[in-house]
Amino acid sequence: MEKYIYSFAEGKKEMKQLLGGKGANLAEMKRLGLPVPDGFTLTTTCCLAYYENGKVFPDTLGTTIAESLKILEQQTHKGFGSLEAPLLISVRSGSVRSMPGMMDTILNIGLNDDTVKMLASQTGDKRFAYDCYRRLIQMFGNVVYSIPAEAFEIVLTHLKEQRGIQLDTELTGDDLHSLTIEYQHIFRQKTGRRFPQDPMQQLLLATQAVFNSWYNPRAITYRQLNNIDEHLGTAVTIQEMVFGNNGKNSGTGVCFTRNPSNGEKKLYGEFLLNAQGEDVVAGIRTPQPISDLAVTMPTIYTEFKRCAALLEQHYQEMQDIEFTIDNGQLYFLQTRNGKRTASAAIQILMDFLAEGLLTKEEVVDKVTFDMMEQALHPSFSEEELAEHSPFAIGLPASPGAAVGRIYFSAEAAQLASENDEAVILVRQETSPEDITGMIVSEAIITSRGGMTSHAAVVARGMGTPCVAGCHDLIINAEKQTLTHPSGQLKEGDWLAVDGSSGKIYTHVFELTQTAITPAFEQLMVLLTDMSDIDVRANADTATDLQTALYFGATGVGLTRTEHMFFAPERLIEMRRLILADTATAREIPLNKLQHFQTSDFEELFRCANERPLTIRLLDPPYHEFLPHDISEKNALAKALGISKTQLDQRLSELQESNPMMGHRGIRLAMSYPEIYKMQVTAIINSALVLEDEGLTVIPEIMIPLVGSVTELKWMRHYLETAITELLVEKNSHLTYKIGTMIEIPRACLTAHEIADTADFFSFGTNDLTQLVYGFSRDDVAKFLPLYLEKGLLPHDPFQTIDIDGVGQLMKQAITLAKKAQPQLKIGVCGELGGDPESVAYFHSIGVDYVSCSPFRVPLAKLALAKASIEAETFIVI
Amino acid sequence: MEKYIYSFAEGKKEMKQLLGGKGANLAEMKRLGLPVPDGFTLTTTCCLAYYENGKVFPDTLGTTIAESLKILEQQTHKGFGSLEAPLLISVRSGSVRSMPGMMDTILNIGLNDDTVKMLASQTGDKRFAYDCYRRLIQMFGNVVYSIPAEAFEIVLTHLKEQRGIQLDTELTGDDLHSLTIEYQHIFRQKTGRRFPQDPMQQLLLATQAVFNSWYNPRAITYRQLNNIDEHLGTAVTIQEMVFGNNGKNSGTGVCFTRNPSNGEKKLYGEFLLNAQGEDVVAGIRTPQPISDLAVTMPTIYTEFKRCAALLEQHYQEMQDIEFTIDNGQLYFLQTRNGKRTASAAIQILMDFLAEGLLTKEEVVDKVTFDMMEQALHPSFSEEELAEHSPFAIGLPASPGAAVGRIYFSAEAAQLASENDEAVILVRQETSPEDITGMIVSEAIITSRGGMTSHAAVVARGMGTPCVAGCHDLIINAEKQTLTHPSGQLKEGDWLAVDGSSGKIYTHVFELTQTAITPAFEQLMVLLTDMSDIDVRANADTATDLQTALYFGATGVGLTRTEHMFFAPERLIEMRRLILADTATAREIPLNKLQHFQTSDFEELFRCANERPLTIRLLDPPYHEFLPHDISEKNALAKALGISKTQLDQRLSELQESNPMMGHRGIRLAMSYPEIYKMQVTAIINSALVLEDEGLTVIPEIMIPLVGSVTELKWMRHYLETAITELLVEKNSHLTYKIGTMIEIPRACLTAHEIADTADFFSFGTNDLTQLVYGFSRDDVAKFLPLYLEKGLLPHDPFQTIDIDGVGQLMKQAITLAKKAQPQLKIGVCGELGGDPESVAYFHSIGVDYVSCSPFRVPLAKLALAKASIEAETFIVI
């Protein structure tokens, strides 16, 4: 027969599933030798059996409870219902996952018209005894028979009016005695029966009522909101009562073992003398800080400190403790892992490490990704969020939260920012021309585009919150309005943006600040130590790179050169280049661009300071550099001295049906190889400048969009010829690498061939995912939300690796490539390089490094440290 | 030491590589016991050694030639240089691959001032003897010493003027004697040396000259044009002379063993009595048909017929024979496989099969894809083509040739066609709205789009020639002009279009007609017998389907339903559907469309007549159905009763950045499942109509663009629920299948999962190739030509399977799928399903059927028959 009851002596913390959090932790504290009132726990399986049985106790339960009570009586030297030493008990719910306040509790069971008298005489405090009794009648009536609390409160209030007093505590023992009589009267009126005088009957009814509370409406809603399985059931813990209000040598309190805001190693809590928990809630008296206890009850304080340290050491987490002092005797009533800020959590873990309480591996295991995100980005408080519905919902494109006024163009955003306004930039979609506006904004909202759209990628790079692909928004930049089924906003209106959830609010929330503390920095060092593969950063500018290096990136896995062409003086040259008819006409703009690029790369190399720097040659199709609106077109035609018709014709020639799969990357360079030659010349020349200064720079040149080894062979030969000429001229022996993006499915399928011609591989997961799924990144927002909603996809494959499809193909490619070239260095520089789950997968299939936007470096490091430890563990086992 | 000389007795036809075509075939005829003048052949390796040796004969060659001559003298009972019975020989080139007329030949070697007299007295014909001698001097002078032929011709002309005669033949023996003296004089003048009187010297110099002619400018050019390797070298055949002009019992002729135009089994040739080959060329007398020989020389005719049959039987091909009758003795001088029309070739092969001359396997082996293409499509004659440069070159998007007048819109094309004009439709790119214009056109030209563009796919379906992606053309539909760097054309101008080569000409060529003869039909039956997998057709209309069935398609592998929505009365409903805001508003157009679809499918099912019919549900993105130009938009807004702004907004919402990877196929159906439900209802209802008539119809419903099994599961369940309702209502037990396109790389990678939910797979190679390469079909023309030119791709992967990439992925998918579901039927319905090389590959990786456009069914059948035989052979071995 199944065992439905465990005494505290039989339980332990690992039995949470069976005993609930409270029951397991009480047993554990008991095992640790802490002063805990005795008791026993009815298991969650008992609860389930109760429900299976049609809400009837399993046959033998009554007998078993009686037996357990017998033992409790022996332990406490009291008797349940005894008139000599009456045993009073509490009946409390305790589920596996914390559901604070959602289920019911009944205290003081065992009191009746007779035992209450005994309690009064034993304690010499009639007031105390009858107060306990009237609380029992009220709680029992309310929980077991659903008598509204007000039915009792009215009588209480009436009595206080009669007595002309304000506070319950001003009532005398006699007042309370008469109240118990009135309460019993109400009980009988409401239920048609007498308040049970048999303690055993009280206990059984109370237990049943607590089981029933598993399905009360509050609990159901809470479980739904928090994804708690209803089939877990609740345990019920039955425990001897202790009283913090049992005279001046009594008291009650709560305490965190460390400071939950900043993690400081110092008890952080409060207590009230001669009071019960509910008195603290009532707020009659101001509690004292826990440190006062050292003065008031020094022995107890010393004992408390010892026990708290013991608990912390034992649980290896900061503890949140409830305690009671009953007539000079300290009791621990609850302990659990304490809620704390990310900053505190990290501080505590690093302290635990320093104290030898945790190993490095344990610290890595205990750091969560949420913790890291919260430490890195500002956020809104959960409590506040719960009180406001979002105005609109889009894709959580770049984490963090911000509030500000909305502006509809980069120019307006800049202007407002100059007037010290907090700006939210709102665009249908951003293009590289918006970059100045994006830089000054607190957050970015777009109505189109997905997780890898321009807005999303750039925002993540800058650590700016972004909600992208918010399809329900109709953005009219001209009229400066933002329309949503739920209302219209205009320029200057306030919005709050939560880039971590993709939600936008019209309520102006307060922001919790980020916490990049010394402990965070120590953690970064630890994570780097613990990872067996590198984390590089995607960085297009020296600023990006500095951020990345601060977070411990070991180099740059991806520098996108196209973003370098958008400053006005460069863009005009780029346009001149694109619109040139002949190779000769291309020469002038190419020379100018080479000049710009050389200084770009010089700055980056200098900042990277001998760390590897992978530069991707021009990737996007030409038309991305061309103007879209008429006034800009006219200006361009004028600047270039060509007719509008000529310009229009060239623009139309460059138009593509599916530009993502069009004339771009190495394909464009096959048609106009002099562009790559210019870029490579700039790279080598800038490296030579640093070489002259005594720095060892090994440029890594990366070719995008290779699908066949023949392409890479041709281009490699072409570029090497150009480089050799430069090096011979400068009499330099600079080493350099030429590698390729692996982002076309065909490159994966023929990776063994390509491996022979490449010095390194770098997976471009954005393009690869796009092609493996046939999901256009720019258009996916039209159907992806529905796909996620219908469960057709477990997650957005642009955010988290699709292991079965994209991942499988990457794995194949790595196997093929490493077989052909075991020494080949293989990285991932696509968006997924910063996603923890994806990074763990990449680790498992043998990539040598991942590269991600600077603000995701810490997350990637954490994922890799975790994955490395796991892999290590497997090996050991 | 290497053997450089082979007597005819030592050679055979398999030694072509060594002996050249002529040498090998002469030896073979000798082996067959045919009357062939004796001789021997210097090998191609001898030629190569000669060149390696710095154009000097290998050391021992002189000796070996002398030895071979000795044997020849014994065989002929003549002596080289002998005054009693002088042996005269010819020295002819003979390369491995036919290079007609490109290299040199010298006849009558062995004649000198002495032997010529002997010849005169032996033959009793001084005129004949000296004519032979003067030809030798001229030929030798020209070939060995490059004396221009005119140097000799002037003298000859002068002599004829002196004699007052017109023809060479009117010259007397004495005239010719004196001419040989004058010719020798010229020879001495031009070369500074005497015309060699030593026959052996003549022979060696002649041989050397023929070797040298391998590198004459004509030969070099010819090899370049025909991709003949210069390292093959030429053989030289030395053979006893026989003379057709040796009296009235002599003659010469050429003869095909069957009619080269239509393949009729009847000798087809002509001959001239008392004449040499060059007399036939000179056209002095009209040759007689070969049948006359039966009358003139019945014994020889009988012998000729016997030998011709023997040769045909031996070579298993129609033969092209050169023969000479020398004083009543028949000699065969050459035999080779005869050039014939595709129609003749097929007739002959089927006759050979009937005659038991060839097995079925041999016939299949001998049928070529070119033959098939020529039989199916009209073409221009190669001779004519060689004389004209193309006006422009594009992609060979649909084979066949046509001439007609150009028109720039579907309307103009229709109007011109109604006036009985031959129309060439010229468009930047076609869209489904152009379909009526395409139907009436002889050919279609587009300046954009690739091999799988709308124009290309539709044209191939209709068997209409098409040149697509002709990027150099600037098409101005408004001004009705077609501009190319080489000139401008306007509406009504003539063009000739060669869809097989992608070339366009302003010259109006004559067309050779197609040849779908009874023999062709027999061949189709044979191919079907010989294939171990099925060929289905891609057919959207009953007309397509009829064509396909005529060519022996076993069913329909792909019916695209989207083309059914383009008739005006349907298009408006489709647009109404797309622009509807609510499910209710969608109901009316859906009902109307369902009505249309039901009759579409009923017609197709009726035509398929119990053969399998696979119907693909709606695939393209919505915006393909929407109007593009302003007037059409206005008309639509009016028809739908909405404002232009509303229309524009909806149009802009439907716009996509990369529509090929956008909201289409099953993705669109996830958003609006009622569309697929409508289509499936129409399919089932129409099948039920035929079921009522007693036909067994098993509809195959195909879902496009599936990338995850979850999509197919959801949709299958949704559609099955709808179908079950229909069947229950009609109390029918109709069976049906639900399968999926495999065209997304992810579907290949997860084929094992999808296999469990699909009744069949059909690879869509167009989309699959597009995604595996990341090559947009609509944009690929911008860089594909360069890629092919640079050798970066071996061929257009949209035309011929990319085995290493796309093919590899398909193979993986098949392996995964068949492992999960061994019974799963797997087909290919993409464009490559009609390409022979691709089809052979598909056969090898285990597909169960291929499906292609109707006019490609014969090609696919041929490819499969060949592949099946090859696979069979492997098994036997």
Side-chain angles (χ1 to χ4, degrees), chain B residues 291-302:
Chain B
S291 53
D292 284 4
L293 198 62
V295 182
T296 326
M297 303 180 176
T299 323
I300 286 188
Y301 182 68
T302 308

mmCIF file with all atom_site columns, all heavy atoms in Angstrom, chain B residues 291-302:
data_model
loop_
_atom_site.group_PDB
_atom_site.id
_atom_site.type_symbol
_atom_site.label_atom_id
_atom_site.label_alt_id
_atom_site.label_comp_id
_atom_site.label_asym_id
_atom_site.label_entity_id
_atom_site.label_seq_id
_atom_site.pdbx_PDB_ins_code
_atom_site.Cartn_x
_atom_site.Cartn_y
_atom_site.Cartn_z
_atom_site.occupancy
_atom_site.B_iso_or_equiv
_atom_site.pdbx_formal_charge
_atom_site.auth_seq_id
_atom_site.auth_comp_id
_atom_site.auth_asym_id
_atom_site.auth_atom_id
_atom_site.pdbx_PDB_model_num
ATOM 1  N N   . SER B 1 291 ? 19.007 3.263  -108.995 1.00 0.00 ? 291 SER B N   1
ATOM 2  C CA  . SER B 1 291 ? 18.173 2.176  -109.516 1.00 0.00 ? 291 SER B CA  1
ATOM 3  C C   . SER B 1 291 ? 18.500 1.873  -110.991 1.00 0.00 ? 291 SER B C   1
ATOM 4  O O   . SER B 1 291 ? 18.344 0.739  -111.450 1.00 0.00 ? 291 SER B O   1
ATOM 5  C CB  . SER B 1 291 ? 16.688 2.518  -109.347 1.00 0.00 ? 291 SER B CB  1
ATOM 6  O OG  . SER B 1 291 ? 16.442 3.791  -109.929 1.00 0.00 ? 291 SER B OG  1
ATOM 7  N N   . ASP B 1 292 ? 18.984 2.899  -111.714 1.00 0.00 ? 292 ASP B N   1
ATOM 8  C CA  . ASP B 1 292 ? 19.337 2.685  -113.133 1.00 0.00 ? 292 ASP B CA  1
ATOM 9  C C   . ASP B 1 292 ? 20.458 1.661  -113.287 1.00 0.00 ? 292 ASP B C   1
ATOM 10 O O   . ASP B 1 292 ? 20.596 1.032  -114.352 1.00 0.00 ? 292 ASP B O   1
ATOM 11 C CB  . ASP B 1 292 ? 19.825 4.004  -113.780 1.00 0.00 ? 292 ASP B CB  1
ATOM 12 C CG  . ASP B 1 292 ? 18.636 4.926  -114.079 1.00 0.00 ? 292 ASP B CG  1
ATOM 13 O OD1 . ASP B 1 292 ? 17.497 4.553  -113.703 1.00 0.00 ? 292 ASP B OD1 1
ATOM 14 O OD2 . ASP B 1 292 ? 18.859 6.019  -114.635 1.00 0.00 ? 292 ASP B OD2 1
ATOM 15 N N   . LEU B 1 293 ? 21.264 1.546  -112.211 1.00 0.00 ? 293 LEU B N   1
ATOM 16 C CA  . LEU B 1 293 ? 22.400 0.617  -112.282 1.00 0.00 ? 293 LEU B CA  1
ATOM 17 C C   . LEU B 1 293 ? 21.908 -0.821 -112.495 1.00 0.00 ? 293 LEU B C   1
ATOM 18 O O   . LEU B 1 293 ? 22.587 -1.631 -113.142 1.00 0.00 ? 293 LEU B O   1
ATOM 19 C CB  . LEU B 1 293 ? 23.220 0.714  -110.983 1.00 0.00 ? 293 LEU B CB  1
ATOM 20 C CG  . LEU B 1 293 ? 24.644 0.157  -111.020 1.00 0.00 ? 293 LEU B CG  1
ATOM 21 C CD1 . LEU B 1 293 ? 25.510 0.910  -112.036 1.00 0.00 ? 293 LEU B CD1 1
ATOM 22 C CD2 . LEU B 1 293 ? 25.296 0.236  -109.638 1.00 0.00 ? 293 LEU B CD2 1
ATOM 23 N N   . ALA B 1 294 ? 20.705 -1.074 -111.986 1.00 0.00 ? 294 ALA B N   1
ATOM 24 C CA  . ALA B 1 294 ? 20.107 -2.414 -112.146 1.00 0.00 ? 294 ALA B CA  1
ATOM 25 C C   . ALA B 1 294 ? 19.936 -2.747 -113.623 1.00 0.00 ? 294 ALA B C   1
ATOM 26 O O   . ALA B 1 294 ? 20.030 -3.898 -114.047 1.00 0.00 ? 294 ALA B O   1
ATOM 27 C CB  . ALA B 1 294 ? 18.761 -2.466 -111.432 1.00 0.00 ? 294 ALA B CB  1
ATOM 28 N N   . VAL B 1 295 ? 19.688 -1.706 -114.392 1.00 0.00 ? 295 VAL B N   1
ATOM 29 C CA  . VAL B 1 295 ? 19.489 -1.889 -115.826 1.00 0.00 ? 295 VAL B CA  1
ATOM 30 C C   . VAL B 1 295 ? 20.851 -1.927 -116.540 1.00 0.00 ? 295 VAL B C   1
ATOM 31 O O   . VAL B 1 295 ? 21.143 -2.825 -117.322 1.00 0.00 ? 295 VAL B O   1
ATOM 32 C CB  . VAL B 1 295 ? 18.632 -0.737 -116.402 1.00 0.00 ? 295 VAL B CB  1
ATOM 33 C CG1 . VAL B 1 295 ? 18.383 -0.940 -117.893 1.00 0.00 ? 295 VAL B CG1 1
ATOM 34 C CG2 . VAL B 1 295 ? 17.354 -0.599 -115.603 1.00 0.00 ? 295 VAL B CG2 1
ATOM 35 N N   . THR B 1 296 ? 21.685 -0.939 -116.202 1.00 0.00 ? 296 THR B N   1
ATOM 36 C CA  . THR B 1 296 ? 22.960 -0.778 -116.904 1.00 0.00 ? 296 THR B CA  1
ATOM 37 C C   . THR B 1 296 ? 23.931 -1.915 -116.594 1.00 0.00 ? 296 THR B C   1
ATOM 38 O O   . THR B 1 296 ? 24.555 -2.481 -117.487 1.00 0.00 ? 296 THR B O   1
ATOM 39 C CB  . THR B 1 296 ? 23.633 0.548  -116.474 1.00 0.00 ? 296 THR B CB  1
ATOM 40 O OG1 . THR B 1 296 ? 22.621 1.517  -116.230 1.00 0.00 ? 296 THR B OG1 1
ATOM 41 C CG2 . THR B 1 296 ? 24.598 1.036  -117.533 1.00 0.00 ? 296 THR B CG2 1
ATOM 42 N N   . MET B 1 297 ? 24.096 -2.198 -115.314 1.00 0.00 ? 297 MET B N   1
ATOM 43 C CA  . MET B 1 297 ? 25.053 -3.235 -114.905 1.00 0.00 ? 297 MET B CA  1
ATOM 44 C C   . MET B 1 297 ? 24.390 -4.126 -113.874 1.00 0.00 ? 297 MET B C   1
ATOM 45 O O   . MET B 1 297 ? 24.687 -4.043 -112.657 1.00 0.00 ? 297 MET B O   1
ATOM 46 C CB  . MET B 1 297 ? 26.304 -2.589 -114.279 1.00 0.00 ? 297 MET B CB  1
ATOM 47 C CG  . MET B 1 297 ? 27.020 -1.593 -115.181 1.00 0.00 ? 297 MET B CG  1
ATOM 48 S SD  . MET B 1 297 ? 28.453 -0.921 -114.318 1.00 0.00 ? 297 MET B SD  1
ATOM 49 C CE  . MET B 1 297 ? 29.170 0.099  -115.588 1.00 0.00 ? 297 MET B CE  1
ATOM 50 N N   . PRO B 1 298 ? 23.487 -5.007 -114.328 1.00 0.00 ? 298 PRO B N   1
ATOM 51 C CA  . PRO B 1 298 ? 22.672 -5.773 -113.376 1.00 0.00 ? 298 PRO B CA  1
ATOM 52 C C   . PRO B 1 298 ? 23.496 -6.602 -112.387 1.00 0.00 ? 298 PRO B C   1
ATOM 53 O O   . PRO B 1 298 ? 23.150 -6.656 -111.198 1.00 0.00 ? 298 PRO B O   1
ATOM 54 C CB  . PRO B 1 298 ? 21.812 -6.658 -114.263 1.00 0.00 ? 298 PRO B CB  1
ATOM 55 C CG  . PRO B 1 298 ? 22.402 -6.580 -115.629 1.00 0.00 ? 298 PRO B CG  1
ATOM 56 C CD  . PRO B 1 298 ? 23.201 -5.333 -115.732 1.00 0.00 ? 298 PRO B CD  1
ATOM 57 N N   . THR B 1 299 ? 24.570 -7.203 -112.849 1.00 0.00 ? 299 THR B N   1
ATOM 58 C CA  . THR B 1 299 ? 25.372 -8.044 -111.939 1.00 0.00 ? 299 THR B CA  1
ATOM 59 C C   . THR B 1 299 ? 25.998 -7.187 -110.839 1.00 0.00 ? 299 THR B C   1
ATOM 60 O O   . THR B 1 299 ? 25.944 -7.511 -109.643 1.00 0.00 ? 299 THR B O   1
ATOM 61 C CB  . THR B 1 299 ? 26.514 -8.732 -112.719 1.00 0.00 ? 299 THR B CB  1
ATOM 62 O OG1 . THR B 1 299 ? 26.033 -9.079 -114.015 1.00 0.00 ? 299 THR B OG1 1
ATOM 63 C CG2 . THR B 1 299 ? 27.007 -9.952 -111.958 1.00 0.00 ? 299 THR B CG2 1
ATOM 64 N N   . ILE B 1 300 ? 26.568 -6.092 -111.308 1.00 0.00 ? 300 ILE B N   1
ATOM 65 C CA  . ILE B 1 300 ? 27.198 -5.192 -110.334 1.00 0.00 ? 300 ILE B CA  1
ATOM 66 C C   . ILE B 1 300 ? 26.156 -4.640 -109.356 1.00 0.00 ? 300 ILE B C   1
ATOM 67 O O   . ILE B 1 300 ? 26.384 -4.531 -108.147 1.00 0.00 ? 300 ILE B O   1
ATOM 68 C CB  . ILE B 1 300 ? 27.955 -4.066 -111.076 1.00 0.00 ? 300 ILE B CB  1
ATOM 69 C CG1 . ILE B 1 300 ? 29.228 -4.679 -111.655 1.00 0.00 ? 300 ILE B CG1 1
ATOM 70 C CG2 . ILE B 1 300 ? 28.246 -2.889 -110.146 1.00 0.00 ? 300 ILE B CG2 1
ATOM 71 C CD1 . ILE B 1 300 ? 30.212 -3.735 -112.249 1.00 0.00 ? 300 ILE B CD1 1
ATOM 72 N N   . TYR B 1 301 ? 24.974 -4.323 -109.855 1.00 0.00 ? 301 TYR B N   1
ATOM 73 C CA  . TYR B 1 301 ? 23.918 -3.786 -108.995 1.00 0.00 ? 301 TYR B CA  1
ATOM 74 C C   . TYR B 1 301 ? 23.558 -4.796 -107.899 1.00 0.00 ? 301 TYR B C   1
ATOM 75 O O   . TYR B 1 301 ? 23.441 -4.449 -106.728 1.00 0.00 ? 301 TYR B O   1
ATOM 76 C CB  . TYR B 1 301 ? 22.686 -3.429 -109.825 1.00 0.00 ? 301 TYR B CB  1
ATOM 77 C CG  . TYR B 1 301 ? 21.575 -2.834 -108.997 1.00 0.00 ? 301 TYR B CG  1
ATOM 78 C CD1 . TYR B 1 301 ? 21.720 -1.574 -108.421 1.00 0.00 ? 301 TYR B CD1 1
ATOM 79 C CD2 . TYR B 1 301 ? 20.377 -3.536 -108.768 1.00 0.00 ? 301 TYR B CD2 1
ATOM 80 C CE1 . TYR B 1 301 ? 20.705 -1.035 -107.646 1.00 0.00 ? 301 TYR B CE1 1
ATOM 81 C CE2 . TYR B 1 301 ? 19.360 -2.998 -107.989 1.00 0.00 ? 301 TYR B CE2 1
ATOM 82 C CZ  . TYR B 1 301 ? 19.524 -1.743 -107.434 1.00 0.00 ? 301 TYR B CZ  1
ATOM 83 O OH  . TYR B 1 301 ? 18.542 -1.204 -106.666 1.00 0.00 ? 301 TYR B OH  1
ATOM 84 N N   . THR B 1 302 ? 23.405 -6.073 -108.356 1.00 0.00 ? 302 THR B N   1
ATOM 85 C CA  . THR B 1 302 ? 23.061 -7.122 -107.399 1.00 0.00 ? 302 THR B CA  1
ATOM 86 C C   . THR B 1 302 ? 24.148 -7.223 -106.322 1.00 0.00 ? 302 THR B C   1
ATOM 87 O O   . THR B 1 302 ? 23.860 -7.282 -105.123 1.00 0.00 ? 302 THR B O   1
ATOM 88 C CB  . THR B 1 302 ? 22.927 -8.476 -108.111 1.00 0.00 ? 302 THR B CB  1
ATOM 89 O OG1 . THR B 1 302 ? 22.019 -8.298 -109.202 1.00 0.00 ? 302 THR B OG1 1
ATOM 90 C CG2 . THR B 1 302 ? 22.413 -9.546 -107.169 1.00 0.00 ? 302 THR B CG2 1
#
